Amino acid sequence: MKGSSNPMMATLDFCIRKATHSALAVVAAVMLLPVQPVVGRAQSGALPTLAVPPNFGLVGLAFNQSLRINVVAPATQPGFPPSPCAAALSFLDANGNPVGQSRSVNLDPGQSAWLDLNANTVLKQFGQRVELRPVAITYPPDPCVVSAEVFDNFTAFSTLVIPATPVVVPPGPNEIAPSPPNFGMQGLALGQVLRLSVVAYPPSPAYPPNPCVASLTFADRNGNAVGPATTVSLNPGQSASLDLNSSDVITNLGTSSFALFGQRTEVRPVITLLPTPAGNACQASVEVFDTFTGRTWSYAVAPGPTE
């Protein structure tokens, strides 16, 4: 069509060239998109060369409860090739030690699998409580959808859905500071405890091991400090918690516990990352549990990007 004197053909030639250039620009842009570190599938039992770290914070379990990790391979969508889901599921205690069973799954699109940990295997009686962490290591092409939940062993009712926990790191020398790990207000009633937990980003071949150095506090609705405060310095994989008992903030002195029953107050967990030459990477989560049964009634993570 080059050199054609027909105006319509010239216009068509221009449109084709424009569309071709646009398509190439889209392809180039997609190729330049940042990607997350991937995991080499293990062969003959060998460890993968790169691994995705645990993506959940600590979760409290009481007697007669179970913690479940769910993993789903999404169904094939029109226009996309089918992609299987491979994952390794396990549980860690508050010190990063394995607890209970582990499981590796290879799922075809549309399939799902799960792994359970019964709290009764680590607790002995009613009222006791244990903090555990679900772990889901996924392998490329990583289409897996991972979630966690707590359910009652007797009724089988789900009591909590556990969101993935963002990893908060301070900025480098030439980086813009990210938003701090801000939590919203959390209600406490008589007989409940608000627990703020942090985990040092676990060791992983995909990421350098960093400690978690932070101050943990609580604030009332006016921003004033209430209850205990502490500073933690954790090695990779370790964790720590700070508790605020409702009796510390429901302070009608001289009033009986019966009269205080049903009262409620709002407080806010506060975590501040402290500078350290070795780097700093923390996962933070909060939960409310009651002191009678030890059961968790609410669970939250600070908004932010998940790893």
Side-chain angles (χ1 to χ4, degrees):
M1 292 187 294
K2 184 175 180 180
S4 172
S5 60
N6 188 326
M8 181 176 294
M9 296 299 293
T11 301
L12 179 60
D13 179 50
F14 172 80
C15 292
I16 293 174
R17 292 174 182 273
K18 191 70 174 178
T20 303
H21 291 163
S22 299
L24 290 174
V26 170
V27 172
V30 171
M31 293 178 66
L32 291 174
L33 286 175
V35 297
Q36 296 293 333
V38 296
V39 187
R41 186 188 297 269
Q43 300 290 337
S44 304
L47 292 175
T49 56
L50 291 177
V52 177
N55 46 6
F56 294 97
L58 289 173
V59 181
L61 288 182
F63 191 74
N64 207 38
Q65 287 188 313
S66 290
L67 177 59
R68 170 170 290 182
I69 310 172
N70 292 300
V71 59
V72 178
T76 303
Q77 297 293 324
F80 293 88
S83 183
C85 162
L89 312 179
S90 61
F91 301 95
L92 301 177
D93 65 15
N95 294 315
N97 300 313
V99 180
Q101 295 182 336
S102 61
R103 181 184 182 187
S104 295
V105 298
N106 288 278
L107 306 175
D108 292 326
Q111 293 183 327
S112 63
W114 59 85
L115 178 66
D116 290 349
L117 176 60
N118 190 328
N120 295 0
T121 60
V122 291
L123 301 176
K124 300 303 180 185
Q125 61 186 24
F126 178 84
Q128 290 184 333
R129 176 182 171 86
V130 63
E131 296 281 346
L132 300 169
R133 188 168 1 125
V135 178
I137 298 176
T138 57
Y139 301 93
D142 190 17
C144 309
V145 178
V146 181
S147 60
E149 56 184 328
V150 175
F151 63 90
D152 180 82
N153 293 345
F154 177 67
T155 65
F157 291 174
S158 291
T159 59
L160 286 176
V161 174
I162 311 301
T165 308
V167 177
V168 182
V169 297
N174 299 317
E175 296 176 336
I176 299 175
S179 299
N182 286 324
F183 289 96
M185 301 300 289
Q186 176 65 62
L188 275 183
L190 189 69
Q192 290 188 316
V193 173
L194 175 61
R195 172 166 290 176
L196 171 58
S197 298
V198 289
V199 179
Y201 208 37
S204 164
Y207 298 89
N210 286 324
C212 170
V213 182
S215 66
L216 311 180
T217 58
F218 300 98
D220 64 15
R221 62 183 181 180
N222 295 315
N224 301 314
V226 294
T230 188
T231 298
V232 299
S233 181
L234 306 172
N235 293 323
Q238 292 183 329
S239 63
S241 300
L242 180 67
D243 289 351
L244 175 65
N245 197 303
S246 60
S247 60
D248 294 337
V249 286
I250 300 178
T251 55
N252 290 356
L253 299 179
T255 304
S256 67
S257 296
F258 180 79
L260 292 176
F261 181 79
Q263 291 197 22
R264 175 185 173 89
T265 187
E266 298 284 339
V267 293
R268 181 166 56 89
V270 179
I271 172 176
T272 304
L273 298 185
L274 303 178
T276 168
N280 200 355
C282 303
Q283 290 176 292
S285 59
V286 295
E287 50 191 331
V288 173
F289 63 92
D290 76 86
T291 56
F292 178 64
T293 68
R295 292 193 167 206
T296 299
W297 291 90
S298 68
Y299 191 95
V301 299
T306 55
E307 293 293 337

